[in-house]
Amino acid sequence: MKRRELREHIFELLFRIEFHEGEQMPEQVKMFFEDIEMIIIEEKDKAYIEKKYADVVEKLEEIDASINAVAEGWKTNRMGKVDLTLIRLAVYEMKFDEEVPVNVAINEAVELAKKFGGDETPAFINGILAKLA
């Protein structure tokens, strides 16, 4: 599976935390993989998705603090759920994932924003992430 596809699955899994309590998430992760069973997914890709999801969740408080420090007038509690999830994933990659260059993290977030967000989402995400770069 290509990196972009993996990132998309991580985004979809992270998006679920906006709708479910922490104790519900293990079941949500299980359901997520049941939902995508029709896609042939190698065990190494599944492990990658689960690990990166868990790593982002572990750093969520720090990630949100970074976002709130630069998001003038748009703190995390006011952002759209798609926008916030994409920004969180990108910030994690920028700050904590040494395998992903900063410009790649930003570009990938903008590309996912074009697919999952509204018309203003790519520019909004690019603006926030540029302040963090």
Side-chain angles (χ1 to χ4, degrees), residues 7-8 11 86 89 108-117:
R7 190 174 280 110
E8 188 173 315
F11 160 75
L86 289 170
L89 178 55
E108 289 296 317
V110 170
E111 290 303 313
L112 286 173
K114 291 174 184 175
K115 182 173 183 175
F116 293 103

Side-chain angles (χ1 to χ4, degrees), residues 1-2 5-6 9-10 13 26 28-37 39-54:
M1 190 174 284
K2 294 180 181 173
E5 292 172 286
L6 292 169
H9 288 307
I10 295 163
L13 193 52
Q28 288 298 312
V29 170
K30 180 181 173 209
M31 288 171 41
F32 173 79
F33 285 108
E34 288 171 358
D35 289 347
I36 65 169
E37 265 184 8
I39 300 170
I40 298 172
I41 184 167
E42 294 182 33
E43 198 57 42
K44 70 178 178 65
D45 291 338
K46 180 181 176 191
Y48 179 86
I49 292 167
E50 284 183 290
K51 177 162 181 8
K52 195 156 189 178
Y53 158 78

Side-chain angles (χ1 to χ4, degrees), residues 94 100-108:
M94 293 166 65
V100 180
V102 169
N103 60 329
V104 171
I106 294 170
N107 184 60
E108 289 296 317

